[in-house]
Amino acid sequence: MDFSFTKKEERFRLELRNWLEENLPTSWPKEEEAYISFLKNWQRTLAEGGWAGITWPEKYGGRNATLMQEIIYHQEMVRADAPPSINYVGIHMVGPTLMQIGTEEQKERFIKKLLTGEEIWCQGYSEPNAGSDLSAIKTSALKDGDRWLINGQKVWTSYGHIADRCFLLARTSQVPGKKHKGITVFLLDMNQPGVEVRPIVQLDGRQEFNEVYLTDAVCSDADIVGEVDKGWQVMISLMLHERAGIGAEVFTLEKQFNNLVAMTKEYKVDGKSLIEDANIRQKMADLYARSRGAILNYYRNLTNTLKNGQPGPESSIDKLLVSELTKEMLEFAVSIQGPHGILWKEDAPINSRWQEKYLYSYGTTIGGGTSEIQRNTIGERVLGLPKDLRA
Amino acid sequence: MDFSFTKKEERFRLELRNWLEENLPTSWPKEEEAYISFLKNWQRTLAEGGWAGITWPEKYGGRNATLMQEIIYHQEMVRADAPPSINYVGIHMVGPTLMQIGTEEQKERFIKKLLTGEEIWCQGYSEPNAGSDLSAIKTSALKDGDRWLINGQKVWTSYGHIADRCFLLARTSQVPGKKHKGITVFLLDMNQPGVEVRPIVQLDGRQEFNEVYLTDAVCSDADIVGEVDKGWQVMISLMLHERAGIGAEVFTLEKQFNNLVAMTKEYKVDGKSLIEDANIRQKMADLYARSRGAILNYYRNLTNTLKNGQPGPESSIDKLLVSELTKEMLEFAVSIQGPHGILWKEDAPINSRWQEKYLYSYGTTIGGGTSEIQRNTIGERVLGLPKDLRA
Amino acid sequence: MMDFSLNEEQEMFRNYVRKCLNEAGQTMVAREFTCGNTSEFIKLQKKLAELGCTGITISEEYGGLGLGALDLVPVLEEFGRAVLPGAYLETMAFVVPLLEKYGTREQKETYLPEIAAGTRSFSIAWVEPNKSYDPDVIECQAVTKGSSLVINGVKTLVPDGNQVESLLLIVRTDEGGNGDGLSLVLIDVNEVTDMKTLSSMDETRNVTEITLENVEVPMARVIGEVNQGWNVLKEGLLYLHAATSSMLVGSMDHIVEMSSEYAKIREQFGQPIGRFQAIKHRIVDMKLDLETARSLSHYANWALDTNQQDKEAAIYSARTFATEANIRLASHNIQNHGGIGFTMEMDCHLFLKRARFYENYMGSISQFREDVSKGLGWSYEKPRFQLTSK
Amino acid sequence: MMDFSLNEEQEMFRNYVRKCLNEAGQTMVAREFTCGNTSEFIKLQKKLAELGCTGITISEEYGGLGLGALDLVPVLEEFGRAVLPGAYLETMAFVVPLLEKYGTREQKETYLPEIAAGTRSFSIAWVEPNKSYDPDVIECQAVTKGSSLVINGVKTLVPDGNQVESLLLIVRTDEGGNGDGLSLVLIDVNEVTDMKTLSSMDETRNVTEITLENVEVPMARVIGEVNQGWNVLKEGLLYLHAATSSMLVGSMDHIVEMSSEYAKIREQFGQPIGRFQAIKHRIVDMKLDLETARSLSHYANWALDTNQQDKEAAIYSARTFATEANIRLASHNIQNHGGIGFTMEMDCHLFLKRARFYENYMGSISQFREDVSKGLGWSYEKPRFQLTSK
């Protein structure tokens, strides 16, 4: 057992840290449009510095980073409070998938532009009646001469309102009783008349997700990834590209907890810091144990990934623990602020957006597979328990 | 809304309380055999005093008690710490069922003797592979001339080792796909060669339950309750006789909580009472709220029973809340006794059998329908949620 | 005779109120309110006043119905179901009982008929910036000047200060300790020097902060005895928290309904999701919480009306349980709805934010638990004021 | 290079130990022990000593393997899996590290080789009747008489006092406050005036009470400095609680296995019960608890071995989490098994009772949490000793 990083890894960390010190933007615009161009700029800066797509081969602009370097990358980005990647879907999902199974033409057309953020990608998976059960998608793609006409509705499309392209699942044939078959992956151009995007307002007032309405939207054969009707396998193999898994969330949890400690020291009611309250200390010690546990679990699973070459179903354990704990921790943070904790944004008792983060956290146990789905996965794939009955 | 009892009800309470003061045994034997005859004596005393089967018609030795009087009866029995009824199955289940659908001969043969405790009854429902799913019973009854030969195994038979008779479910025919059909209720004589009883040792070291092995045990047509193959309905209607539901448990919970309060005042560590600890007070206040809630729910359901004439599926709410809360409360009681709380019986830090009660409480969320089954019942019958998939 | 249910009149009144709220679009009123459109709410308030809601606990002599806390219960439950904005709670379940008991003839005549008519409502100005509800940290000061009081200070977290006509203000009139030296003053909102609206997580209730600079009001505005305000306020809190519990129960009732109905119709994997025990059993636990909270709050209000010995324990038990359960339920409700539950489109978020609003409203869970403990005679020490809920 | 797993040697040693325990019938040894039949346990102890289990943390100079806390982990996990009786924990993870660090040459020579050989084991005599673990309530007194100490007092809850050869005794040698004036004395069980075995909920570990009446032992039996015993003991507790966590993890591992396997084969309603989400998801949550406890305890022992700055926080985090999770799991395990889980026949009860044994063992959850808090520098006040866990 050893928790130390190698010298090479530490040099990598230092290089990134130095780069971030010089390149990290100092102020974030609040207004929506300005924020989007800010994020696009940041993506370009990353690409220019060689800090986007670090795990990619050098020929595509990457630096062949190891898994441990990827972990360090996530740690440092969280540590520095770097802006989120506006092209997460492009860089972590579409790029690696195309490199592996894309045509040469697709690689040529898309990879460079997604690295630099010139083209933003979104993901077209969920539909109103296909949430936890993705295989129930109804969006159809019908061959019409040499083009495909796509009709249907997608939902929960992050950055859909600014995306240029969409990694889209559509049904190209019906195989009775086998819903996973007959699905195809298309690379859809979002800038066409058949695509209408409507933002969804989240309960915290923000708009990150969208509904996407497709009415005779057009794709060509050249836009198909892998084979027709075999999109489900493409989607599954794409998930495996996410080697570092929920690294960013894990380190964010760690940081969040440290912020919580700072908050309980700084925030005073009747002149007393919250941490002086023994009840609060007890709960904080419990949260410390559980967040440390979640982080250490992640490291243990990483060790397995390093040894086995690819991540196992244990990543569901990380996802479930981290999302549930994040929610609980933020609830606690707001709760202990007492009556003043109901205040919002600029009037909130302490300026760390605890209230907003709290409300946002309700999405973490739903998005990316609900906690119920994670529990099924763990039960069935880790513990070997019988599968749920399905009709 | 009104929580007061009528004058007539208060007179009834007083009459019982006075009777108990004169007739309640003062010391309980510890040794098993002596304890059984003690319980039998108590049953006879109750019957002689007119305090067994109080809801029965007078012609069977009852006093036609109303539901409210039955409630008062349970309250007073718990209040007085009266011994448990050794013939609970006989008096609350078999007696009323026979009165309603038994033959004249059955009434003649059984009712008086079960009231006085001359004949003790047990219940032959569960089997090793039919616990939560009673309809899966395999014990068979085959007609052989003018007698029935019964073969199979029953389990969780309270007082099976001392019972004279058993209210037994057996399968008399197979109806494919309809497991609830083909079941018949027999009144089995336990004192015959084909019946072997083996005690089950519980995790608290006590032996209350038994396995009953039936090998060509004999019944006659005269021992059948209702019709052949229609035993499921008999069992369901029998449940409805339990009008007062889990009254005794509810009042025991109330008493247990009061005992807990007394314990936290009396029990001192380092010279300080437990109740002086603010953390303990907080949890006690929470337990108070929840136990009061469970009791008040019971009253609300009673009001419904009084208005509608018969109990609804809400009784599952009472069962679930009371059993779960009893378990939690006893766990807390043992936990707050600190390191000394691990001590047992005569060495336990405070002489109220908290440790034994705690271990025993693990049975309360299993017996009489597990908490999982109660949740299904409430979900499906109270909230109208869809039924579980069953193979 | 024992009968643990609301009576026919109370249930009938509930039906009137529900009909009225349904006609107004149920949660639509709250939704409009959060967008700054208060006209629907104002219209509805008038209708509710016409129904008699604003007169329930006011004695007949002053234009009310002369009824008790239990008669407010169905109304509050319905208001909670609709996440209704406004200071009905503070007016009817705090200021009215205090006016009825401690008000002078003049005070009663001034305020009660207008409250009954629905033309005047009250809020409470208690807590100060960076302060808890501890009486001894109150700094807002009122100094005697002839037959007047001159008030200086800042009060924050005043619920719906911009929606009401009057405030019940807690001020320091003498040096303190153990709650001594405080007085309660009835002032009109237009007497306040400055008022600003704060951003709040729960936009169905406005949160305001008021400043008082040399505000001079007649001595006759003090309710109860001067310097004895804390004891008067604590009595008012019994009414307020009993009523709050009922309002929370109403919200919980709506939440359980939402989750159950959604679980019956939403399908995944070819099944209504209510068939999966993860969902089914969670909704059952929510139902248990709801029924427990309802039983506790009904009893609490009955105990208050009939002045039972255990009323303090009953009220604060109901309050703590309903508060925590309501937060739990509102959270589960979002999870049960999945993605759609995370949007503004569904009502889920309204109930969550409202649940948080009442979490630390006029006290904290740990403080309420000490009140239960005190009510049951477990501890005779002065309960220390706790900063927070957890 | 980062590698968060036990190494090959450690895993190999685990396999030897598991094989040895399997041959002895796993939980059968504990079952026999609870019936008063200790012969199987004694036989097994010999075999384990032959394997080298009793020498792991003892330096090679005294016949041990000279390994660290992390090397004990797989052994302790296996012992926990088998609910093994005996004072291995107290001997190897408390007395040995203290002897190694604070023992005189003479003390080491006397005790360590015999421990390594498996012929001597130790228990801890700390708490007194109706007392907590607070150092300042210790009354058992040792008075100097020439080069001897004369000890008087009563110690209770001595684990397996009747199974060991020696005790580490905490006595008062001076007036105290904040843990001052205490000393640690190594005594032999046969020097004790009286010992009685108390009835315990967990019969896999015997609980004894000892009386000391004018027991005279040489001054050389004091380990560490006289009057400074509390600090020595606190250091020993780091080892003890890190090791306890590992033993609890072992129990949890077995519990999750039991529940999973049963859920796969037990059928109701024509389905293996593991298909029902009420059971399936509960077992998943148990698995999460298990893995979290395992990660925490592995890290805690690593931090101890490598003297990390966060070792105190790491150890007490592991201890609190594993303790509470183990109780939770043992309880769920009974429920998952239904009726059969409520019997003596299944092992479920062994794990539940054992879980309760370690709940308040050598400290309390709330005390441990204050230790975490202190370890992280959140509070600088002396943590008040808490009576109980909750």
Side-chain angles (χ1 to χ4, degrees), chain A residues 72-92:
Chain A
I72 292 168
Y73 181 81
H74 286 306
Q75 285 184 328
E76 292 302 311
M77 288 294 173
V78 169
R79 178 179 182 275
D81 269 328
S85 169
I86 194 173
N87 209 13
Y88 188 92
V89 171
I91 289 174
H92 291 270

Short mmCIF file of all heavy atoms in Angstrom, two decimals, chain A residues 72-92:
data_model
loop_
_atom_site.label_atom_id
_atom_site.label_comp_id
_atom_site.label_asym_id
_atom_site.label_seq_id
_atom_site.Cartn_x
_atom_site.Cartn_y
_atom_site.Cartn_z
N ILE A 72 -4.36 13.34 -11.54
CA ILE A 72 -3.71 14.56 -11.09
C ILE A 72 -4.33 15.77 -11.78
O ILE A 72 -4.57 16.81 -11.16
CB ILE A 72 -2.18 14.48 -11.37
CG1 ILE A 72 -1.57 13.41 -10.46
CG2 ILE A 72 -1.50 15.83 -11.17
CD1 ILE A 72 -0.15 13.02 -10.83
N TYR A 73 -4.61 15.61 -13.06
CA TYR A 73 -5.25 16.69 -13.83
C TYR A 73 -6.57 17.10 -13.16
O TYR A 73 -6.81 18.29 -12.93
CB TYR A 73 -5.50 16.18 -15.26
CG TYR A 73 -6.14 17.17 -16.20
CD1 TYR A 73 -5.39 18.15 -16.84
CD2 TYR A 73 -7.50 17.09 -16.47
CE1 TYR A 73 -5.98 19.04 -17.72
CE2 TYR A 73 -8.11 17.98 -17.34
CZ TYR A 73 -7.34 18.96 -17.97
OH TYR A 73 -7.93 19.83 -18.84
N HIS A 74 -7.39 16.09 -12.86
CA HIS A 74 -8.67 16.41 -12.19
C HIS A 74 -8.43 17.10 -10.84
O HIS A 74 -9.10 18.06 -10.49
CB HIS A 74 -9.51 15.15 -12.00
CG HIS A 74 -10.14 14.64 -13.26
ND1 HIS A 74 -10.93 15.42 -14.07
CD2 HIS A 74 -10.09 13.42 -13.86
CE1 HIS A 74 -11.34 14.71 -15.10
NE2 HIS A 74 -10.84 13.49 -15.01
N GLN A 75 -7.50 16.56 -10.08
CA GLN A 75 -7.21 17.15 -8.76
C GLN A 75 -6.83 18.61 -8.88
O GLN A 75 -7.32 19.47 -8.15
CB GLN A 75 -6.05 16.39 -8.09
CG GLN A 75 -6.42 15.04 -7.53
CD GLN A 75 -5.26 14.39 -6.79
OE1 GLN A 75 -4.09 14.59 -7.14
NE2 GLN A 75 -5.57 13.61 -5.78
N GLU A 76 -5.94 18.89 -9.82
CA GLU A 76 -5.45 20.26 -9.94
C GLU A 76 -6.52 21.21 -10.47
O GLU A 76 -6.59 22.36 -10.06
CB GLU A 76 -4.20 20.29 -10.83
CG GLU A 76 -3.00 19.61 -10.20
CD GLU A 76 -2.61 20.24 -8.87
OE1 GLU A 76 -2.50 21.47 -8.79
OE2 GLU A 76 -2.45 19.48 -7.87
N MET A 77 -7.35 20.72 -11.38
CA MET A 77 -8.41 21.57 -11.91
C MET A 77 -9.40 21.94 -10.80
O MET A 77 -9.86 23.07 -10.70
CB MET A 77 -9.16 20.84 -13.05
CG MET A 77 -8.34 20.75 -14.33
SD MET A 77 -8.06 22.39 -15.05
CE MET A 77 -6.92 22.03 -16.37
N VAL A 78 -9.71 20.95 -9.96
CA VAL A 78 -10.62 21.24 -8.84
C VAL A 78 -9.93 22.18 -7.86
O VAL A 78 -10.53 23.15 -7.39
CB VAL A 78 -11.04 19.93 -8.14
CG1 VAL A 78 -11.75 20.23 -6.83
CG2 VAL A 78 -11.93 19.09 -9.06
N ARG A 79 -8.67 21.88 -7.57
CA ARG A 79 -7.92 22.68 -6.62
C ARG A 79 -7.90 24.15 -7.04
O ARG A 79 -8.05 25.06 -6.22
CB ARG A 79 -6.49 22.14 -6.52
CG ARG A 79 -5.57 22.91 -5.59
CD ARG A 79 -4.19 22.27 -5.55
NE ARG A 79 -3.33 22.96 -4.64
CZ ARG A 79 -2.62 24.05 -4.96
NH1 ARG A 79 -2.70 24.55 -6.18
NH2 ARG A 79 -1.84 24.64 -4.05
N ALA A 80 -7.71 24.38 -8.36
CA ALA A 80 -7.58 25.74 -8.87
C ALA A 80 -8.93 26.40 -9.14
O ALA A 80 -8.97 27.55 -9.55
CB ALA A 80 -6.75 25.72 -10.14
N ASP A 81 -10.02 25.65 -8.89
CA ASP A 81 -11.34 26.20 -9.23
C ASP A 81 -11.41 26.60 -10.69
O ASP A 81 -11.97 27.65 -11.04
CB ASP A 81 -11.67 27.44 -8.38
CG ASP A 81 -12.39 27.07 -7.12
OD1 ASP A 81 -13.14 26.08 -7.15
OD2 ASP A 81 -12.21 27.76 -6.10
N ALA A 82 -10.85 25.79 -11.56
CA ALA A 82 -10.85 26.11 -12.99
C ALA A 82 -12.28 26.07 -13.52
O ALA A 82 -13.12 25.36 -13.01
CB ALA A 82 -9.98 25.10 -13.74
N PRO A 83 -12.56 26.85 -14.57
CA PRO A 83 -13.91 26.84 -15.15
C PRO A 83 -14.23 25.44 -15.68
O PRO A 83 -13.31 24.69 -16.03
CB PRO A 83 -13.81 27.83 -16.32
CG PRO A 83 -12.61 28.66 -16.03
CD PRO A 83 -11.67 27.79 -15.25
N PRO A 84 -15.51 25.08 -15.74
CA PRO A 84 -15.87 23.77 -16.27
C PRO A 84 -15.54 23.70 -17.77
O PRO A 84 -15.43 24.72 -18.43
CB PRO A 84 -17.37 23.68 -16.04
CG PRO A 84 -17.83 25.09 -15.93
CD PRO A 84 -16.69 25.86 -15.37
N SER A 85 -15.39 22.48 -18.27
CA SER A 85 -15.12 22.31 -19.69
C SER A 85 -16.44 22.42 -20.45
O SER A 85 -17.37 21.66 -20.20
CB SER A 85 -14.51 20.94 -19.93
OG SER A 85 -14.49 20.67 -21.31
N ILE A 86 -16.50 23.36 -21.36
CA ILE A 86 -17.75 23.54 -22.12
C ILE A 86 -17.91 22.43 -23.14
O ILE A 86 -18.98 22.20 -23.68
CB ILE A 86 -17.78 24.93 -22.81
CG1 ILE A 86 -19.18 25.24 -23.31
CG2 ILE A 86 -16.75 25.01 -23.95
CD1 ILE A 86 -19.33 26.65 -23.84
N ASN A 87 -16.84 21.71 -23.41
CA ASN A 87 -16.92 20.65 -24.41
C ASN A 87 -16.57 19.29 -23.84
O ASN A 87 -15.87 18.49 -24.44
CB ASN A 87 -16.01 20.98 -25.60
CG ASN A 87 -16.54 20.39 -26.88
OD1 ASN A 87 -17.69 19.94 -26.92
ND2 ASN A 87 -15.73 20.36 -27.92
N TYR A 88 -17.11 19.04 -22.63
CA TYR A 88 -16.83 17.78 -21.93
C TYR A 88 -17.24 16.59 -22.80
O TYR A 88 -16.50 15.63 -22.96
CB TYR A 88 -17.58 17.74 -20.60
CG TYR A 88 -17.19 16.57 -19.75
CD1 TYR A 88 -16.16 16.66 -18.81
CD2 TYR A 88 -17.83 15.34 -19.88
CE1 TYR A 88 -15.79 15.58 -18.05
CE2 TYR A 88 -17.46 14.24 -19.12
CZ TYR A 88 -16.44 14.38 -18.20
OH TYR A 88 -16.06 13.29 -17.43
N VAL A 89 -18.44 16.67 -23.39
CA VAL A 89 -18.96 15.58 -24.22
C VAL A 89 -18.02 15.35 -25.40
O VAL A 89 -17.67 14.22 -25.74
CB VAL A 89 -20.39 15.89 -24.70
CG1 VAL A 89 -20.85 14.88 -25.75
CG2 VAL A 89 -21.35 15.92 -23.52
N GLY A 90 -17.60 16.44 -26.01
CA GLY A 90 -16.71 16.32 -27.15
C GLY A 90 -15.39 15.66 -26.79
O GLY A 90 -14.96 14.69 -27.42
N ILE A 91 -14.77 16.17 -25.75
CA ILE A 91 -13.41 15.74 -25.45
C ILE A 91 -13.35 14.38 -24.76
O ILE A 91 -12.48 13.57 -25.06
CB ILE A 91 -12.70 16.83 -24.62
CG1 ILE A 91 -12.44 18.00 -25.57
CG2 ILE A 91 -11.40 16.32 -24.02
CD1 ILE A 91 -11.89 19.21 -24.92
N HIS A 92 -14.27 14.13 -23.84
CA HIS A 92 -14.18 12.87 -23.10
C HIS A 92 -14.95 11.74 -23.75
O HIS A 92 -14.74 10.58 -23.44
CB HIS A 92 -14.65 13.07 -21.65
CG HIS A 92 -13.70 13.92 -20.88
ND1 HIS A 92 -12.64 13.40 -20.18
CD2 HIS A 92 -13.63 15.26 -20.73
CE1 HIS A 92 -11.96 14.39 -19.62
NE2 HIS A 92 -12.53 15.52 -19.93
#
